[in-house]
Amino acid sequence: MYEFVPRRLLVTGGCGFMGSAFVRWVAERRPEVRVTVLDKLTYAGNLANLKDVENKPNYKFVKMDICDFDGIYKLMQDEHVDGIIHLAAESHVDRSIKDPFTFAQTNVMGTLSLLQAAKLYWETLPEKWEGKRFYHISTDEVYGALELTHPQGIEPPFSTKASSGKHHLAYGAKFFTEDLKYQPHSPYSAAKASSDHFVRAFHDTYGLPTIVTNCSNNYGPYQFPEKLIPLFINNIRHRKPLPVYGKGENVRDWLFVEDHARAIDLIFHEGKIAETYNIGGFNEWKNIDLIKVLINTVDRLLGRKEGEDLDLITYVTDRAGHDLRYAIDSTKLQKELGWEPSLQFEEGIEKTVRWYLDNQEWMDNVTSGDYQKYYDDMYKNR
Ligand code: NAD
Ligand code: TYD
């Protein structure tokens, strides 16, 4: 298998949940690669997420907006960037419902400015596209919603290490495959879909060497606590109500974030240009069942009676346009590149809950805004 070997990597959104997991992954395992992280440090971006790598000689941080075309072009020149992994985005569906403009600005215009900067910079080089790669991280939410035809769950047509856990069910017979038509419903997924189209258009029109992956819901350490899993772990700990949207019947497919980081690394190096790969956990859960697992796990790890906090569950008004079921079929990735999730959900959730319980200070910092001070103290003299 041909392995693409970049030397100068630009990672956008590297201070977010998934971006930081990828930067930790690559900085540890590929010391020969220089990683420049570009991040605007919105409320969701936090330099403390990269504490583990901040002293590594192959890592550098630059505070910048992906909409800043001139800044990106110059940065690419200065750093001789030959590979881009693009994760920067506004990522929370509830925020997109309140403020769709910011999502169009960052996710669409920001992606476009990055594509154009990469195209113009790489075109100036004698070897042009050769040895270059633009990898765009997208979501399964662009495919829309699947029906929930089997409320009790059925045996899924996949078999992996992840699916040998206690719970492994599919809640419908259909899955998202790479050839499906995009049908986004939320302003978030509409903006991500639009950015995916721009990425493919840059390949088809100019020949830019692009790859797109669409991944299911990630969970793990360092996720901003407005997303279901970290928010609920924190609320259970502090015995605050758990706002379950609608009846809690919506289904999501969950993947441990380090498994996603490993998939990105593999696809970036060995995936085929112009291809799309779906990345999934083979791990569907109804929200309410997942929330009960969270309650039991937090209670047990805190020495409480298991299930003692079930009465925190509070059903609230449903999210507008709430997609019923997401379920990824990542057979293509499994067959072509041999990737599959390494963790069973039970192990992943235990690791995740432990991490949040052990890192209350991180939780307090990201929610209080103190991380801005951390940034100023850390970087004012650089
Ligand atoms: P996140 O919200 O935790 O992090 C986003 C990062 O992007 C932050 O560090 C933020 O500061 C930065 N950012 C935002 N706007 C920016 C801008 N204009 N310029 C520069 N940086 C900016 O998001 P995440 O969960 O880590 O998701 C990362 C990517 O993966 C996104 O593209 C998202 O659509 C995609 N994705 C996420 C999931 C998931 O479950 N979290 C699943 C599939 C795909
Ligand atoms: P979320 O973590 O926001 O991810 P996404 O919407 O991108 O899938 O939400 C996961 C699921 O949990 C989704 O069906 C919405 C639901 N949810 C709640 O029921 N209550 C909450 O407070 C949140 C944040 C989410």
Side-chain angles (χ1 to χ4, degrees):
M1 170 73 66
Y2 166 75
E3 185 172 350
F4 163 69
V5 188
R7 293 280 170 237
R8 300 284 191 143
L9 199 55
L10 180 66
V11 180
T12 72
C15 297
F17 163 53
M18 212 180 276
S20 65
F22 176 72
V23 172
R24 283 191 298 277
W25 179 275
V26 83
E28 285 292 335
R29 290 168 180 80
R30 296 195 181 264
E32 74 285 3
V33 177
R34 176 159 178 81
V35 182
T36 301
V37 169
L38 181 163
D39 199 297
K40 184 182 175 183
L41 294 180
T42 67
Y43 76 95
N46 186 348
L47 274 171
N49 295 0
L50 289 176
K51 225 174 171 347
D52 292 351
V53 303
E54 67 189 7
N55 294 320
K56 292 233 178 261
N58 60 334
Y59 157 80
K60 176 178 178 179
F61 171 72
V62 176
K63 185 173 182 207
M64 195 181 284
D65 189 328
I66 50 165
C67 299
D68 177 0
F69 168 80
D70 293 337
I72 292 168
Y73 186 87
K74 180 160 187 323
L75 182 67
M76 289 194 68
Q77 265 182 331
D78 292 349
E79 296 294 328
H80 305 287
V81 169
D82 55 6
I84 298 182
I85 303 206
H86 175 35
L87 296 114
E90 289 290 339
S91 69
H92 190 41
V93 174
D94 294 328
R95 283 182 189 253
S96 80
I97 294 169
K98 290 207 177 78
D99 176 19
F101 281 103
T102 306
F103 282 69
Q105 179 65 20
T106 284
N107 298 2
V108 185
M109 295 308 289
T111 301
L112 184 53
S113 90
L114 206 58
L115 284 164
Q116 182 74 345
K119 169 188 175 284
L120 293 184
Y121 168 57
W122 288 339
E123 272 181 345
T124 64
L125 305 175
E127 75 281 8
K128 210 178 165 187
W129 312 135
E130 207 183 306
K132 312 292 185 307
R133 194 156 290 190
F134 187 111
Y135 182 155
H136 176 63
I137 308 290
S138 192
T139 166
D140 59 355
E141 306 195 20
V142 296
Y143 295 119
L146 293 164
E147 286 180 0
L148 198 160
T149 47
H150 295 77
Q152 304 312 317
I154 50 166
E155 184 76 18
F158 312 112
S159 165
T160 68
K161 177 164 188 268
S163 61
S164 61
K166 281 180 234 146
H167 165 109
H168 190 60
L169 296 169
Y171 291 96
K174 292 197 175 145
F175 301 87
F176 294 143
T177 48
E178 288 84 355
D179 54 353
L180 272 192
K181 189 175 127 200
Y182 276 21
Q183 287 190 302
H185 297 138
S186 72
Y188 163 65
S189 53
K192 289 296 291 186
S194 172
S195 67
D196 297 7
H197 290 317
F198 269 108
V199 174
R200 294 189 180 109
F202 265 64
H203 172 269
D204 296 350
T205 308
Y206 309 110
L208 195 79
T210 58
I211 293 188
V212 178
T213 54
N214 299 80
C215 188
S216 62
N217 286 57
N218 281 219
Y219 70 98
Y222 297 103
Q223 188 168 30
F224 195 81
E226 64 185 355
K227 303 278 169 66
L228 180 76
I229 290 185
L231 175 73
F232 277 31
I233 293 172
N234 199 39
N235 283 10
I236 299 162
R237 174 181 209 151
H238 296 291
R239 294 209 153 112
K240 290 191 197 155
L242 307 175
V244 179
Y245 298 163
K247 295 185 183 144
E249 294 286 304
N250 303 65
V251 172
R252 296 290 182 265
D253 168 25
W254 294 93
L255 176 68
F256 191 64
V257 68
E258 280 175 25
D259 274 333
H260 189 195
R262 183 169 49 85
I264 295 171
D265 189 47
L266 176 71
I267 295 165
F268 185 64
H269 289 92
E270 296 184 23
K272 287 196 208 117
I273 296 293
E275 287 290 324
T276 297
Y277 298 90
N278 280 351
I279 310 173
F282 301 95
N283 180 40
E284 289 179 51
W285 284 79
K286 279 189 191 175
N287 288 343
I288 193 66
D289 294 336
L290 167 56
I291 290 161
K292 287 177 184 163
V293 172
L294 286 178
I295 295 173
N296 285 336
T297 311
V298 175
D299 281 349
R300 176 167 49 78
L301 293 178
L302 287 178
R304 298 176 186 167
K305 201 166 137 248
E306 252 184 57
E308 195 178 323
D309 289 309
L310 282 168
D311 60 358
L312 294 175
I313 291 175
T314 309
Y315 291 96
V316 298
T317 309
D318 208 352
R319 173 187 278 172
H322 197 173
D323 286 337
L324 191 52
R325 172 173 170 254
Y326 300 146
I328 279 263
D329 179 348
S330 46
T331 307
K332 174 177 171 181
L333 178 57
Q334 196 178 19
K335 284 201 176 133
E336 287 189 13
L337 299 181
W339 176 92
E340 55 179 52
S342 70
L343 274 190
Q344 287 178 3
F345 191 61
E346 291 78 5
E347 293 170 76
I349 275 294
E350 177 98 10
K351 266 176 109 157
T352 302
V353 172
R354 272 188 201 282
W355 189 87
Y356 286 100
L357 295 181
D358 290 345
N359 288 278
Q360 187 62 42
E361 200 183 330
W362 175 89
M363 180 68 82
D364 293 343
N365 285 344
V366 298
T367 46
S368 73
D370 273 354
Y371 65 89
Q372 286 300 342
K373 181 172 177 310
Y374 175 88
Y375 166 75
D376 292 340
D377 290 345
M378 283 295 295
Y379 287 92
K380 68 183 166 200
N381 296 323
R382 288 199 175 189

